[in-house]
Amino acid sequence: MLSFISNSAHYKDVLSRVQSVKHMLWIGTADIKDLYVEVGKQKKPFLAVLAGLIRRGVEVRLIHAKEPGPNFREDFDKYPVLYDRLERVLCPRVHFKMLVFDGKEVYIGSANLTGAGIGMKTDKKRNFEAG
C-alpha cells in the first residue's frame, strides 16, 4: 500500500520503528548525516540507537552513496561497536531510500537519513518527502 505521510509523520512512523527492531534492520539511503532522534525525553545521535541495536544482537546493514561529513564521523567514532559489527557498504550509485524492519515491514520513499529528510528539524526546515 502506497501512502503519503507528512513530514513529522516520517519521523514518528519510520524512525520510531527502528528502536523496536528485534532481529534485523537494513538501511539504504543516498545521504546520511549526523541525524538525532528522541529516545524517551532525550535527544541522541541516530548512531547511538544503531549501536544499541547491535549490542542487543540485531543485524544492522547500511548502504549509502557518499561519505558523510565530519559531524557524522565524530559521532560514529564514539561507538566502536559500529566499526566492529555494522555491515556498511559505500556505493556511489545508490539513490534509493528504504528501511527494512525485521523482514516484515518496509519503508520506501524519498527521505534520506538527514535532519531535513527524516529527522528532528522543525516543520519549516524539513524537506517535502513521500513514503
Side-chain angles (χ1 to χ4, degrees), residues 100-125:
V100 180
F101 308 95
D102 286 324
K104 296 177 183 175
E105 293 181 295
V106 178
Y107 162 79
I108 300 171
S110 61
N112 283 303
L113 284 178
T114 64
I118 202 167
M120 294 179 58
K121 295 280 185 179
T122 66
D123 283 339
K124 293 182 180 184
K125 293 189 177 191

Side-chain angles (χ1 to χ4, degrees), residues 24-28 59-62 98-102:
M24 57 84 77
L25 174 66
W26 292 355
I27 303 168
E59 169 192 302
V60 180
R61 292 181 177 173
L62 169 64
M98 66 168 219
L99 288 97
V100 180
F101 308 95
D102 286 324

Side-chain angles (χ1 to χ4, degrees), residues 2-67:
L2 176 65
S3 64
F4 292 93
I5 53 182
S6 72
N7 293 336
S8 60
H10 263 94
Y11 178 80
K12 279 189 277 184
D13 294 346
V14 178
L15 287 185
S16 66
R17 289 186 179 153
V18 169
Q19 298 175 46
S20 61
V21 168
K22 303 281 187 245
H23 306 288
M24 57 84 77
L25 174 66
W26 292 355
I27 303 168
T29 185
D31 194 11
I32 185 167
K33 294 186 178 175
D34 62 324
L35 174 64
Y36 277 68
V37 296
E38 289 180 1
V39 178
K41 294 186 179 196
Q42 297 180 337
K43 294 177 179 156
K44 292 187 175 186
F46 183 66
L47 292 171
V49 173
L50 295 183
L53 290 175
I54 291 170
R55 281 188 214 102
R56 288 193 342 241
V58 174
E59 169 192 302
V60 180
R61 292 181 177 173
L62 169 64
I63 182 170
H64 57 101
K66 63 182 181 176
E67 278 297 339

